[in-house]
Amino acid sequence: MIFIYPGSFDPVTLGHVDLMTRGAKLADKLIVAVLDNPHKQPLFSIEERMDLLRDAVKDIGNIEVTAFSGLLTRFTNERGVSVILRGLRDGEDYISEARYAWFNRFLGGDVETIFLPASPAFSQVSSRIVREIAAYAAPAQDGVSDPLLQWVTPKTAAVLRSKFMTKG
Ligand code: PNS
């Protein structure tokens, strides 16, 4: 069965990587679909987000990274996907995700959403938090490694740091 894991991934975090690793074990194939939303101003371009995702999952064989725009269920129907995978960190996530799951089922015919609970190590992390850490927390210094490395891949940490250095 083909699963889809949609998201903004601005940028991918180790929480997403944990979810993708676990989801890919349940599916024959996992499509990771990055939302290209013209109404949002992401920090990373769609190409950068896909590039960081591809690097983060390079050791997992059955994952395809792609982009989509518009309605998720239009994309799932086009690709013949019947399962949407989403992670839940807490009850707040559940409230919004349960709503999305219902509307996606309504709009997409047979499409079901399955939820995996975030692993405890990643139950607090979000893309927004890592962007803030990159913007305000000091990078590696005096033999102490970059705090970002607890939450993102080395490549994502490097690209995040370079963004804020050039902006700074
Ligand atoms: O990583 P995010 O920002 O939590 O991901 C949200 C995402 C991309 C899964 C959601 O916004 C989405 O599916 N957007 C596409 C438009 C759509 O289909 N919306 C749902 C209608 S009920």
Side-chain angles (χ1 to χ4, degrees):
M1 204 175 264
I2 304 177
F3 286 16
I4 192 164
Y5 182 45
S8 303
F9 304 108
D10 187 34
V12 59
T13 69
L14 294 183
H16 295 129
V17 175
D18 176 56
L19 243 286
M20 292 186 284
T21 306
R22 291 159 60 205
K25 285 185 192 150
L26 303 174
D28 295 310
K29 176 179 177 171
L30 178 65
I31 299 175
V32 177
V34 186
L35 176 63
D36 190 3
N37 184 349
H39 305 296
K40 267 195 179 172
Q41 277 268 299
L43 178 64
F44 291 96
S45 71
I46 195 82
E47 289 76 22
E48 287 173 317
R49 284 180 278 158
M50 287 201 292
D51 186 47
L52 292 176
L53 271 161
R54 288 197 179 107
D55 174 72
V57 299
K58 60 182 183 293
D59 295 331
I60 307 173
N62 58 334
I63 291 189
E64 172 193 339
V65 176
T66 189
F68 78 105
S69 57
L71 212 54
L72 175 61
T73 48
R74 190 168 55 85
F75 189 66
T76 57
N77 285 336
E78 269 170 26
R79 296 291 306 263
V81 175
S82 51
V83 178
I84 298 169
L85 175 70
R86 293 286 285 171
L88 294 179
R89 288 165 299 191
D90 55 21
E92 245 179 70
D93 274 357
Y94 175 76
I95 290 170
S96 56
E97 293 296 335
R99 211 161 269 152
Y100 269 127
W102 164 248
F103 280 104
N104 282 328
R105 195 161 166 231
F106 174 76
L107 292 165
D110 254 354
V111 71
E112 289 286 0
T113 300
I114 68 162
F115 298 125
L116 287 180
S119 295
F122 305 116
S123 65
Q124 302 297 322
V125 70
S126 67
S127 297
R128 186 178 61 78
I129 290 282
V130 300
R131 291 195 302 270
E132 282 189 25
I133 295 172
Y136 303 118
Q141 54 187 354
D142 300 333
V144 179
S145 62
D146 189 332
L148 271 177
L149 291 171
Q150 292 187 55
W151 314 118
V152 299
T153 63
K155 181 167 177 174
T156 305
V159 179
L160 265 167
R161 288 297 182 190
S162 69
K163 288 247 173 213
F164 287 98
M165 260 188 281
T166 52
K167 280 188 173 180

